[in-house]
Amino acid sequence: MTASHTGRAEPAGARSPYLTFTEPTGRRRTAPARLGKPSRRDRALPQGIRNGMLDDQGQQCVQVFLPAAVAANPAARALLDTEAGTALQLARALENTAYAHLFPTLIGYELDTAEPFLLYAAPRGTPAGRTHVMSATDQRVFARDLTLALCLLDGQGLVPRGISPATVLWDGTSVQLWGLEGVARAGRPRTPWGRAPYCSPEQQRGEGLVDARDAVWSAAQVLYQLVTGRPGPADRAPADLAQHRVLAGTLPGAFAPTAGARPSPATLLELLAPGEAGRVALTAGADGARPHQEAYAQALRAKRRAAPAPGEEAEEEKAHGEVLCPYCLEGIQLDLGRLFVPDDRMQYQPLDLSRITNPVRREDVLRGAVQQCTADPDFPEHHIPVPYLTHGRPLTVAMIGQSSTGKSHLLTQMIAEITDGGLDPHGVGWQSVNPEQHARFVRERVQPLRSGQVLDHTGGVGLDGFALFVESLLLTDARGRVRPVAFFDLGGEDLVRTDGALRFLLGIDALVFVVDPALALPLPQLDEARRRVGSQVDRDGDAAFGTVLDRLPRKGPYLETPAAMVLGKSDLLRFQPPVDRWLGEGPPAALGPDHFLEESGDVYAFLRRYAGQAWLRPFDAFRRCTLHIASATGGQENLGRFPAGTGPRRVLEPLLSLLAMHGIIEAPGGAATFGVGREAQ
C-alpha cells in the first residue's frame, strides 16, 4: 500500500503507507508511517491501538483508531471525538507550561474518514496496575501528580471519568494520565461510565450532574490500590486507611459516598503540595474573547435603548380573513371557486367541492388542495395551499447565505427535528400544510440526508423567476392557536440577484443567516475544507447577507423582523472554543427570558475576533437577532457521502428563538424582549 488515510497496517516488507492528518496547530501533514499489529487497549471500548513510527521525523507514535466496521457506529465515533477534543484542549491550555507532560502528547488526528484515528507520541511509563513496588516517597509524588492533573482538567471545566490503574502511567518520576475518551464536562448529566471501585458511586449509577469531585474518588481508589495492592470498597472508605501513613492524612474525605462531601481537586492538592494549586490557577490565561464580549454587551444595550420602529401590520390576521400571499405580497382570502388538486402527473385540475358532501372527506380533500392567487394579474401564475389560507396569519422564514454554506442541510434537519417532536417540550404541535408536498419533502430530502447522502444544491426559484417556499407546516401553540409556517431556501446565486426574485423578502417574517466557517474564519484547521471546494476566506462578509439586508426596508435604526445567525458546519470547529462547549449542550427544556444570550455572546465574540465585523452585519442590522452554533450533519462528506450517516446537533435552536420572538413559543418577558435581553435589576 503506497498511500493511506486510514492508517491500516501493511504486510511485512511492503512499502510504508502514508498517513495524512491534522496537527494540533491546524496544519495538514502527510508522513510515511510504519504501523504495528493492532490490539485493544480496553476490551470494553471500541478503539483499537497500535504502535508506529512516522518516518519523516523518526517519531515513535501510538495510533488510536476505529476500524471501518466499528466507525459506522456513531457512538464509537463520539468517543474518539471526545478524546480528540480533550487532547486538543489540553494541548492549547498547557502549551509552554511545566504541566504538559502529565497528559498524552497529541501529534495529529483524522476523524472525518471511514477509519478515523488519533496519533500520540509514545506513552511515557507503564500502567500503575503493573507497578508492584513503589517507595513511600514515590507514592507521594504519584499522588501529587495525579491530583495536579485533576486540577488542570478542572480548570478547563473537564472531569476525567476513566481514571483507573490502567489509565494512570508511571515512569518512576512522574504520572501521565490517559483515558481521555472518558472525559466529560462538569455540570452535564452523569451517565454510567467506568468500573467499580474506580468510578464514584454516583457515576456508576448515572445520577445527578458531572462533578470534579467524581474524579477525586477515582484518584483515591487508584492510590489505595497502589499502596495496599488491593482494590478498595466500591461505596465507602476502606476500613484500614489509618494504617497507611501516605493515605491517612489526605484521603479519608475523598471516599465520601457523595461528591458534595469530598474535597475538590484543588483542596486535595493543597494538602499534598502546599501552594501548587495557586500556581496551577495562573496557567489559565485569557483567551482573547473579553473585548469582543464587551462589544456584544454594548451592542445589546444600544438595542434596548432604541425604541422599536412601528410595524406596518400587527400579528393578527388582516381584515376579512385575508392573509399575505408569500409570493406576490398581495392580500388573498379563501375562494372555493378557485381551488385545484394535483392529478397523477402532478398537473393541477379544478376542484368541484359541490360533489363532496361528506364533511370528513371534504376536509381531507381541502388539506391537499391549492388555490390560484390572482391578486396581482401581472405576477406569474402561482398557487397557495388551502390550509395556508385558513389558519390565521402565516409566518414565512427565509434561509440566507451563499451556496455551499449548508443552508439546505440545516433546513432539512430542522424540519426533521420538528417532525420528530422537537417542539413538543415547548407546547407546540405540528401538522403538514399539504400532506403530499410534505411526503415528497421527506422522501426527497430528509430520508436521503439521514442515510448519509449529500443533498443537491438548492433550487428555490421557479421557472418564472420568483421564489418558492420549499416546505410548510401548521404549528399549534400551547393556547391552541394555529399558524402556518413556510420556509424559503434559495440558492446563493439567487440571493445576490437584484431583480424580482427577491421581492418575497419584503413580506418575510423571520430570517436565518447561515455563516460558512470556511468562508468566514482564517483558521488553519479550515484550510482543508477550503481546498476541497476551491474557496477562500472572504473578509468582506457573505455577499448574500449584504444583498438581502440592502433589499429590506428600514424605518428606524434597526430592522424589526426577528432574525437568527447560525455558525453552520460547526463540526469543522468542534474542537475549537467556544464551539466545543455549545455543540455538546443538550436542547433546552424551556426558554427563559434571556435564553440564547450567552451562546449569542460567545458566537459574536468568536466571529468578531476571527472573521471581522463584516460577518456580523445581520446582528448589527436587526434589533432582535440571536446567534447560534449548529451542525446539520455532524461530520464532513467523503466521496459524496457522510461516512457514518448524519448526526445533527443544535439545528432546532435557531428556530426556537424565532418562534419565541413571534410569540408562538411563550417565554417569560414576552416576545418583544426575547433576543435583546433585559437591563440588570
Side-chain angles (χ1 to χ4, degrees):
M1 181 166 58
T2 60
S4 172
H5 288 268
T6 64
R8 292 178 178 169
E10 62 184 47
R15 203 149 42 123
S16 295
Y18 283 82
L19 294 180
T20 298
F21 52 89
T22 301
E23 295 181 318
T25 61
R27 185 176 69 89
R28 296 286 286 177
R29 176 180 167 189
T30 298
R34 288 175 288 156
L35 298 168
K37 183 178 179 181
S39 63
R40 296 280 291 279
R41 59 178 177 180
D42 187 328
R43 290 292 175 185
L45 297 174
Q47 300 98 312
I49 189 169
R50 51 193 162 204
N51 296 325
M53 175 72 74
L54 300 178
D55 287 330
D56 60 339
Q57 298 180 11
Q59 187 177 20
Q60 289 188 330
C61 66
V62 168
Q63 185 192 53
V64 177
F65 69 99
L66 294 176
V70 177
N73 183 348
R77 282 184 176 266
L79 283 180
L80 204 63
D81 264 21
T82 296
E83 183 170 354
T86 303
L88 282 166
Q89 185 171 345
L90 290 171
R92 287 191 295 262
L94 302 181
E95 186 180 13
N96 301 322
T97 72
Y99 304 119
H101 70 284
L102 294 171
F103 301 97
T105 300
L106 184 66
I107 296 173
Y109 58 94
E110 182 73 356
L111 300 175
D112 293 320
T113 186
E115 195 167 277
F117 64 86
L118 310 177
L119 289 176
Y120 292 105
R124 183 176 49 77
T126 57
R130 300 179 190 171
T131 303
H132 302 294
V133 178
M134 183 180 287
S135 68
T137 300
D138 284 349
Q139 290 171 6
R140 292 189 183 92
V141 174
F142 184 97
R144 180 205 64 197
D145 278 7
L146 181 52
T147 309
L148 182 57
L150 303 192
C151 277
L152 291 163
L153 286 163
D154 190 24
Q156 299 294 312
L158 303 175
V159 180
R161 301 181 300 159
I163 295 176
S164 75
T167 60
V168 183
L169 276 56
W170 172 254
D171 68 354
T173 60
S174 63
V175 157
Q176 191 175 59
L177 180 61
W178 287 67
L180 301 184
E181 72 283 342
V183 169
R185 289 195 176 273
R188 297 273 172 81
R190 286 192 184 100
T191 55
W193 183 271
R195 299 185 180 90
Y198 308 107
C199 62
S200 69
E202 316 100 309
Q203 183 176 304
Q204 187 175 2
R205 295 190 299 268
E207 298 174 352
L209 303 178
V210 174
D211 191 299
R213 292 166 291 188
D214 297 345
V216 169
W217 168 284
S218 303
Q221 287 284 5
V222 171
L223 290 167
Y224 179 80
Q225 177 159 330
L226 193 64
V227 171
T228 66
R230 60 181 181 274
D235 57 356
R236 62 189 182 279
D240 61 345
L241 271 185
Q243 301 175 20
H244 305 283
R245 186 174 57 182
V246 173
L247 307 177
T250 56
L251 293 188
F255 288 103
T258 61
R262 298 177 205 131
S264 67
T267 300
L268 188 58
L269 181 60
E270 193 62 26
L271 291 173
L272 293 165
E276 191 66 37
R279 288 187 286 273
V280 168
L282 295 176
T283 64
D287 63 1
R290 180 179 294 276
H292 307 289
Q293 291 277 9
E294 292 174 350
Y296 170 74
Q298 183 177 354
L300 280 188
R301 287 193 294 269
K303 291 183 178 187
R304 288 193 292 265
R305 287 194 298 266
E312 291 184 0
E313 184 178 338
E315 286 289 320
E316 300 86 30
E317 295 179 58
K318 296 177 98 176
H320 310 298
E322 280 193 348
V323 300
L324 190 71
C325 173
Y327 300 135
C328 69
L329 304 183
E330 298 292 341
I332 180 176
Q333 59 184 345
L334 182 65
D335 183 348
L336 298 181
R338 296 181 179 275
L339 302 187
F340 298 82
V341 290
D343 60 19
D344 294 340
R345 295 176 297 172
M346 298 307 299
Q347 300 297 314
Y348 286 132
Q349 303 298 332
L351 172 62
D352 182 4
L353 283 175
S354 65
R355 302 173 59 185
I356 306 175
T357 58
N358 184 308
V360 175
R361 181 169 174 243
R362 180 186 177 97
E363 182 68 23
D364 184 62
V365 170
L366 282 173
R367 276 199 68 202
V370 298
Q371 176 176 322
Q372 183 177 357
C373 176
T374 57
D376 183 349
D378 296 326
F379 199 80
E381 180 178 317
H382 55 291
H383 299 81
I384 311 298
V386 167
Y388 194 88
L389 304 174
T390 58
H391 290 88
R393 185 178 188 274
L395 177 71
T396 51
V397 181
M399 308 293 291
I400 308 297
Q402 291 187 40
S403 295
S404 77
T405 57
K407 301 189 309 299
S408 297
H409 288 139
L410 178 62
L411 176 58
T412 299
Q413 297 287 32
M414 194 180 287
I415 300 297
E417 291 276 313
I418 294 173
T419 59
D420 281 349
L423 296 179
D424 291 352
H426 307 281
V428 177
W430 75 277
Q431 189 179 27
S432 64
V433 167
N434 184 291
E436 192 280 330
Q437 289 178 355
H438 177 70
R440 187 167 64 248
F441 183 86
V442 171
R443 184 174 62 253
E444 296 178 357
R445 313 287 301 175
V446 175
Q447 292 175 350
L449 181 57
R450 284 186 162 180
S451 69
Q453 181 178 324
V454 177
L455 299 181
D456 293 333
H457 290 300
T458 301
V461 174
L463 295 177
D464 295 310
F466 67 92
L468 305 171
F469 59 74
V470 297
E471 173 64 313
S472 55
L473 301 172
L474 297 175
L475 299 187
T476 304
D477 67 14
R479 298 186 183 184
R481 298 172 297 188
V482 180
R483 293 282 298 275
V485 180
F487 296 90
F488 286 86
D489 181 22
L490 275 67
E493 64 279 4
D494 294 312
L495 286 168
V496 296
R497 292 164 60 172
T498 57
D499 57 16
L502 295 190
R503 185 164 68 166
F504 81 101
L505 289 170
L506 303 179
I508 211 74
D509 299 298
L511 299 102
V512 179
F513 293 87
V514 183
V515 176
D516 185 339
L519 297 177
L521 301 163
L523 298 173
Q525 60 265 45
L526 298 173
D527 288 345
E528 177 62 15
R530 284 185 277 268
R531 185 196 64 79
R532 284 201 303 264
V533 299
S535 66
Q536 58 186 359
V537 175
D538 191 340
R539 301 296 294 185
D540 295 325
D542 191 315
F545 291 4
T547 302
V548 168
L549 292 174
D550 291 341
R551 191 69 178 263
L552 297 174
R554 186 181 305 196
K555 295 184 177 180
Y558 299 105
L559 293 163
E560 293 300 324
T561 307
M565 290 187 67
V566 182
L567 181 60
K569 299 183 182 179
S570 288
D571 50 276
L572 286 168
L573 297 164
R574 61 189 182 272
F575 307 126
Q576 174 81 36
V579 178
D580 55 354
R581 172 197 169 187
W582 288 107
L583 270 185
E585 290 288 331
L591 298 186
D594 297 329
H595 213 95
F596 300 127
L597 291 188
E598 185 180 0
E599 180 181 7
S600 295
D602 282 348
V603 179
Y604 180 96
F606 184 60
L607 289 176
R608 191 173 187 265
R609 179 183 181 188
Y610 292 108
Q613 199 70 40
W615 280 93
L616 288 163
R617 278 194 66 190
F619 176 83
D620 293 335
F622 292 89
R623 193 173 66 84
R624 291 181 295 163
C625 180
T626 52
L627 296 93
H628 305 264
I629 284 169
S631 171
T633 59
Q636 293 302 294
E637 65 178 274
N638 186 21
L639 301 178
R641 292 190 60 81
F642 298 99
T646 55
R649 300 166 80 173
R650 297 184 65 79
V651 296
L652 195 54
E653 277 72 358
L655 183 61
L656 294 180
S657 179
L658 296 176
L659 295 179
M661 294 184 209
H662 274 281
I664 296 176
I665 294 176
E666 295 187 10
T673 61
F674 197 91
V676 181
R678 301 167 298 168
E679 294 291 351
Q681 302 297 320

